[in-house]
Amino acid sequence: MKKNIEKIILEHIPDAKCNFSGETCNLKLTVSSKIFVNMSLIKQNKIIMSLLESKFQSGEIHALSLETKPH
């Protein structure tokens, strides 16, 4: 699952750095990218969540702790 999530993100944000910790039910993802510079935290999170929306709808992902930050 981690590789699939990272692939989806990198297809849309090529410079993204994805760091995972935890496992399925306690999965935490930290995404950093230069596109997040001067962008609100809410907008950063919305971008990533919109990329993963189909995975949530299908049930492949049911919980994700997300942190985003510029690099």
Side-chain angles (χ1 to χ4, degrees):
M1 179 192 323
K2 294 176 186 179
K3 289 200 182 285
N4 289 340
I5 292 170
E6 185 172 29
K7 181 181 176 202
I8 291 167
I9 293 170
L10 289 175
E11 285 173 354
H12 295 89
I13 309 172
D15 79 318
K17 303 286 187 248
C18 299
N19 295 304
F20 294 90
S21 61
E23 290 301 321
T24 309
C25 292
N26 296 318
L27 189 60
K28 180 176 181 184
L29 170 60
T30 302
V31 181
S32 61
S33 171
K34 63 185 174 189
I35 71 159
F36 296 145
V37 173
N38 297 321
M39 187 182 294
S40 73
L41 187 57
I42 292 171
K43 186 163 183 173
Q44 294 173 32
N45 279 265
K46 282 184 177 183
I47 289 171
I48 300 301
M49 295 305 282
S50 70
L51 294 176
L52 301 176
E53 183 177 1
S54 67
K55 298 298 181 190
F56 280 102
Q57 289 177 347
S58 72
E60 188 175 339
I61 302 172
H62 59 85
L64 179 68
S65 175
L66 178 62
E67 178 183 350
T68 55
K69 58 186 177 182
H71 72 224

